[in-house]
């Protein structure tokens, strides 16, 4: 993580507590608060089964304005029916009352087990303390409180400037199930003190999501609770950042960097994962095809177990490309592990180079390049290896 | 397996050998031979990367006539370029010469590691012996010789009759990678002595494939070598079986049963699998939707690890249905483990019933029913649990 000295953003305050929602007694309730109303944009799950907090928060974010986020781990408040909706609304109401702001300015977010009602008495007891305990340097405590199966907390940040005025971006995320991304809830909150034109803020978030969180997951394969929020409170008082300008480009680049850093942390923390692998498909006819092939390779259990076994088993990679739906000509495909070619024109380059490639597989991070030699487009996906511990974590998660 | 006394089919002979293609020294080369030319139909991989034996065999089967199959395990002859094509043709030529039949009547089939050339000297040495050793009751030896990571050999059979004339169906299959079906080669050879009208033979195979092998795999997610061959040599001399007749229906039912038996064996032998689970989706708007939902649930690693953990974690099931693309209304969904309802109208039925459901998960075989309550359509997929041994087998397969 670059800029690892950044621990806060002007005008934002944070607090977190152990409210007893998690059986473990670890921190599980957190509050993010902006001293002034912030412009905001959001990206939400595309799952047809949508958790109550997402149903409550999405229309509020749609208004473009937000001032605080109450987030809990240990319980997803999903598949909880009308009572779940009432509870999500009540969570927001509790936080709004404690902060003295309108309920409409409150986003609520949950992650954890599906199908259990929230323990509302714990929210009633602890939310007032959260509001009282807000501090400027508490982002790290929020990052810890939203963890579920995460092995480590996730933050990333960047500094940029508009003319002479500096602004900060700080991202906080959770998620660790990206080995197979079906249902591991991913939450991310990106905070900035920059003044950003509202429509451009939405557009920047959409673009950054595509090259970060949407490049570690299959489109549509989102959990019931996924949520990415971007809040810009304008406290930096820079000249408004707009699309189609150098300042807008710089903002997008910084936002992409922060979100890609977070996304890679999620892969690196893939349940049981020991490796972070970039699957870079190039020479595709168009970007959609490049993404299709990269996605199929990245999500293949056979490819991922081969990475765990440190086996340069390119046959599994070429076969995944073959069923991905991407246009390809098997006799043109090259595959490289970093700079070691193991396939040229669809045929293996032999044992010596494959053994060299196996050396690369021993690294914790490496890149696999699949060149289709058909067109100009490329795309990268980030994946992890599939390990014994993945099975262990997911077989034992609830019981 | 019903009819487990059936060990042969009139007019078919079999042989198998250890030719040294597998390092283990286990049987790896087999021959199936019909004493008379058989009518045939085939289903082949839809992968864009297609192995040489498939490229050689598919157009021959397309002619509708075939008399023998030479099949090896231990080497897939995939991604082997022009030399691979020459080798596949030469395999067929060797067998045709040894049998004294036309090369065009020979199907060739391979399964095993991708990217290595076939050891042709071993084929030259052993194929003549295969031809000399053909016996009527050798089907079981063929089933053993085509195994790769299979834990057990796979055969299924049925007897039917047209008027007074009895005929037999015998299926032989291999495949054990259905935990994630990306690339585990599936081969199946179904032999019958029935007289079947050629066009109806093709149609019956296509329909049977849909409800058997295509219900344990994601459409398109096939390996470079997948192949299902159906050979009907007519030795039973029954009145020709045609479509749209009771005899045709009986033939389809018997073929479906044999192929579904084989498909279930493949799932039961899923690499490292300990459970066979039927995912039955009903109440879907149409069959395509039912298949979509059943497929998404069946292939979710999170669902499959929960089965291994014997955890009635219905949240993962409902979420997989949610991202499957099938039309659904979360508030109408019911989920049952056998006859135990764990979800009614999208909401959990409580701890007591969930604990009862967990008892069902301890079984080796059980059915999960997901009722969307939207329409009349239903479909079943068969899946297995995802276990430590899956990772072990696939991380170590080549090394």
């Amino acid at each position: 993580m670059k800029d690892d000295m950044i621990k806060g953003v002007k005008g934002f305050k944070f607090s977190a507590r152990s409210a007893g929602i998690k059986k473990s007694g670890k921190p599980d309730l957190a509050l993010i608060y902006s001293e002034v109303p912030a412009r905001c944009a959001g990206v939400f799950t595309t799952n047809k089964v949508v958790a109550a907090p997402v149903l409550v928060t999405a229309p509020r974010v749609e208004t473009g304005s937000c001032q605080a986020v109450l987030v809990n781990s240990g319980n997803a408040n999903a598949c909880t029916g009308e009572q779940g909706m009432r509870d999500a609304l009540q969570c927001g109401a509790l936080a709004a009352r404690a902060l003295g702001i309108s309920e409409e300015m409150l986003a609520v977010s949950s992650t954890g087990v599906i199908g259990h009602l929230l323990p509302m008495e714990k929210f009633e007891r602890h939310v007032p303390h959260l509001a009282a305990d807000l501090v400027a340097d508490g982002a790290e405590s929020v990052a810890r409180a939203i963890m579920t199966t995460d092995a480590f907390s996730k933050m990333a940040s960047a500094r940029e400037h508009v003319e002479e005025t500096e602004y900060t971006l700080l991202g906080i995320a959770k998620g660790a199930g990206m080995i197979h991304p079906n249902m591991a809830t991913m939450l991310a909150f990106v905070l900035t003190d920059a003044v950003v034109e509202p429509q451009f803020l939405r557009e920047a978030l959409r673009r950054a999501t595509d090259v970060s969180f949407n490049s570690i997951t299959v489109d549509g394969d989102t959990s019931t609770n996924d949520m990415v929020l971007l809040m810009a409170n304008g406290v930096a008082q820079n000249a408004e950042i707009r699309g189609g300008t150098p300042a807008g480009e710089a903002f997008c680049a910084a936002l992409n960097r922060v979100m890609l850093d977070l996304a890679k942390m999620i892969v690196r923390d893939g349940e049981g994962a020991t490796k972070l692998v970039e699957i870079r498909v190039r020479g595709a006819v168009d970007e959609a095809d490049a993404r299709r092939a990269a996605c199929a390779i990245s999500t293949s259990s056979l490819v991922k177990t081969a990475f765990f076994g440190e086996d340069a088993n390119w046959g599994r990679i070429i076969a995944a490309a073959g069923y991905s739906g991407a246009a390809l000509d098997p006799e043109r495909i090259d595959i490289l592990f970093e700079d070691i070619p193991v396939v040229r024109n669809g045929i293996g380059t032999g044992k010596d180079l494959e053994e060299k490639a196996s050396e690369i597989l021993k690294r914790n991070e490496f890149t696999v390049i699949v060149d289709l030699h058909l067109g100009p487009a490329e795309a990268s996906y980030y994946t992890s290896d599939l390990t014994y511990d993945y099975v262990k974590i997911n077989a034992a998660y609830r019981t």
Side-chain angles (χ1 to χ4, degrees), chain A:
Chain A
M1 174 168 36
K2 292 163 209 157
D3 304 306
D4 55 355
M5 304 302 289
I6 299 175
K7 300 208 164 165
V9 187
K10 278 187 211 158
F12 283 97
K13 288 186 167 178
F14 310 87
S15 61
R17 291 178 75 82
S18 298
I21 306 165
K22 283 177 180 164
K23 285 180 194 163
S24 64
K26 289 185 179 167
D28 50 19
L29 194 58
L31 188 61
I32 299 170
Y33 173 65
S34 173
E35 291 171 337
V36 295
R39 291 172 177 172
C40 74
V43 174
F44 301 94
T45 180
T46 56
N47 199 305
K48 284 180 186 156
V49 180
V50 182
V54 175
L55 291 171
V56 167
T57 298
R60 292 183 180 176
V61 168
E62 195 56 36
T63 67
S65 194
C66 175
Q67 195 165 357
V69 187
L70 179 72
V71 51
N72 74 275
S73 56
N75 186 319
N77 191 13
C79 302
T80 43
E82 289 176 16
Q83 186 60 45
M85 284 299 289
R86 281 193 290 272
D87 290 346
L89 288 165
Q90 176 63 9
C91 284
L94 287 168
R97 194 184 315 142
L99 292 166
I101 62 174
S102 150
E103 277 182 48
E104 290 301 309
M105 297 299 279
L106 229 301
V108 291
S109 180
S110 297
T111 177
V113 176
I114 287 178
H116 294 262
L117 292 174
L118 288 180
M120 289 309 297
E121 74 290 354
K122 292 174 181 168
F123 284 80
E124 280 155 23
R125 180 149 17 111
H126 290 278
V127 166
H129 292 289
L130 281 177
D133 295 346
L134 288 164
V135 291
D137 62 353
E140 168 72 28
S141 72
V142 172
R144 277 196 303 270
I146 63 178
M147 290 164 64
T148 54
T149 56
D150 303 61
F152 53 87
S153 62
K154 296 168 185 72
M155 294 175 67
S157 57
R159 284 227 161 88
E160 255 307 332
H161 54 90
V162 181
E163 291 156 10
E164 302 297 285
T165 313
E166 192 178 68
Y167 64 87
T168 301
L169 283 157
L170 177 66
I172 302 169
K174 66 91 39 177
M178 307 311 303
I179 291 268
H180 205 75
N182 297 356
M183 233 209 70
T185 288
M186 196 277 298
L187 300 180
F189 308 105
V190 184
L191 315 173
T192 179
D193 52 356
V195 181
V196 188
E197 190 273 319
Q199 188 54 43
F200 176 63
L201 190 74
R202 273 193 276 266
E203 174 63 17
L205 177 64
R206 198 191 55 70
R207 283 158 58 181
T209 304
D210 272 351
V211 297
S212 61
F213 299 119
N214 280 351
S215 290
I216 55 170
T217 184
V218 182
D219 289 354
D221 272 13
T222 60
S223 97
T224 52
N225 292 57
D226 288 352
M227 183 184 291
V228 183
L229 287 186
L230 171 58
M231 294 172 71
N233 69 6
V235 170
Q237 294 188 298
N238 53 280
E240 188 175 72
I241 299 170
R242 294 164 172 279
T245 65
E249 285 309 296
F251 180 79
C252 282
L255 182 63
N256 289 358
R257 203 161 63 238
V258 166
M259 286 176 57
L260 186 56
D261 278 352
L262 292 173
K264 285 186 186 175
M265 284 179 212
I266 287 174
V267 180
R268 204 175 288 121
D269 194 13
E271 288 162 348
T274 68
K275 293 178 194 301
L276 170 65
V277 186
E278 178 181 350
I279 306 292
R280 190 185 306 159
V281 173
R282 62 189 189 200
V285 168
D286 57 28
E287 199 189 318
D289 258 14
R291 287 177 67 84
R292 249 177 230 124
C295 176
I297 297 165
S298 296
T299 54
S300 159
S301 291
L302 287 169
V303 170
K304 290 155 75 75
T305 44
F307 289 157
F308 178 53
E310 300 181 345
D311 178 9
N313 194 328
W314 55 264
R316 297 179 180 181
I317 294 171
I318 204 167
Y323 67 69
S324 68
L328 58 82
D329 174 352
E331 293 177 13
R332 289 211 214 173
I333 297 175
D334 292 345
I335 299 177
L336 298 90
F337 283 76
E338 297 283 354
D339 55 345
I340 311 293
V342 293
V343 174
R344 281 269 181 241
N345 303 320
I347 301 177
T349 53
K351 278 222 171 304
D352 288 355
L353 285 169
E354 220 176 272
E355 272 166 31
K356 270 196 185 174
S358 291
E359 288 303 307
I360 285 165
L361 275 133
K362 290 181 181 151
R363 300 182 191 167
N364 291 334
E365 299 197 15
F366 57 88
T367 300
V368 177
I369 298 165
V370 178
D371 198 330
L372 304 179
H373 288 296
L374 283 185
E378 71 171 70
S380 283
Y381 261 65
Y382 299 86
T383 188
S384 54
D385 52 345
L386 175 54
T387 70
Y388 296 120
D389 280 351
Y390 173 79
V391 177
K392 185 171 174 181
I393 290 165
N394 283 300
Y397 177 46
R398 281 201 339 173
T399 48

